């Protein structure tokens, strides 16, 4: 059993798969993903799907929470990544999937987990790009 919750052997719990669309390093996306995972692990069996891996200091934190699955590179082998992600969701029976990314390319992950049978699909976009001046500036200042 992991420090934060149940491990793979306890099948009575619902399963949540957290997907990182980028390499996990000590950044904001990783910090939020870890917070979500620690909270989810109180009630769910948590797994992590990584297409770009993680830094050495993050790996033990993920393993303390749940199962870690390394998938083919999302950037270099997108079709292989999508097929592997769909197969993982189906084989392991993940009902809930929470995708953490920073662009609209999360649609590829959504398509893969839908094909794998996940019934609850959540996206969390960690990107905010605001440049000024913007055409919206006139609307916001009125």
């Amino acid at each position: 059993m992991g420090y934060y919750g149940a491990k793979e052997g306890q099948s009575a719990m619902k399963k949540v798969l957290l997907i990182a669309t980028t390499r996990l390093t000590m950044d904001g996306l990783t910090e939020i993903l870890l917070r979500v995972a620690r909270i989810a692990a109180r009630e769910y069996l948590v797994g992590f799907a990584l297409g770009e891996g993680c830094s050495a200091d993050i790996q033990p934190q993920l393993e303390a929470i749940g199962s870690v699955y390394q998938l083919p590179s999302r950037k270099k082998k997108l079709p292989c990544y999508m097929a592997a992600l769909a197969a993982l969701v189906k084989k392991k029976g993940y009902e809930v999937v929470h995708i953490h990314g920073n662009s609209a390319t999360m649609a590829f992950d959504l398509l893969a987990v839908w094909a794998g049978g996940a019934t609850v699909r959540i996206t969390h976009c960690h990107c905010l790009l605001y440049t000024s001046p913007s055409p919206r500036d006139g609307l916001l200042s009125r």
Side-chain angles (χ1 to χ4, degrees):
M1 180 182 288
Y3 178 76
Y4 293 99
K7 280 292 221 181
E8 194 78 26
Q10 297 178 332
S11 60
M13 297 180 73
K14 283 194 174 189
K15 297 180 175 185
V16 176
L17 182 66
L18 299 173
I19 300 171
T21 63
T22 61
R23 181 172 174 78
L24 293 181
T25 60
M26 232 356 130
D27 61 7
L29 185 147
T30 303
E31 182 61 33
I32 291 173
L33 181 137
L34 286 170
R35 285 182 190 175
V36 168
R38 289 179 183 124
I39 292 167
R42 296 176 189 164
E43 297 183 35
Y44 300 96
L45 186 64
V46 176
F48 299 94
L50 309 177
E52 300 304 325
C54 65
S55 60
D57 56 332
I58 301 297
Q59 184 77 26
Q61 294 181 59
L62 299 177
E63 291 172 350
I65 299 169
S67 302
V68 180
Y69 306 101
Q70 182 59 54
L71 303 177
S73 173
R74 189 175 182 274
K75 291 180 182 177
K76 297 176 183 173
K77 299 180 179 181
L78 183 60
C80 294
Y81 167 83
M82 291 176 66
L85 182 55
L88 173 66
V89 169
K90 186 172 187 170
K91 180 180 179 185
K92 298 292 183 177
Y94 284 104
E95 301 172 35
V96 179
V97 176
H98 192 167
I99 304 166
H100 291 261
N102 54 21
S103 73
T105 63
M106 289 185 290
F108 294 114
D109 304 86
L110 280 171
L111 180 61
V113 300
W114 171 79
T119 54
V120 178
R121 299 170 296 274
I122 304 163
T123 58
H124 188 147
C125 188
H126 296 261
C127 180
L128 175 63
L129 177 63
Y130 176 77
T131 57
S132 188
S134 165
R136 296 180 302 227
D137 287 343
L139 296 172
L140 297 174
S141 62
R142 290 182 189 173

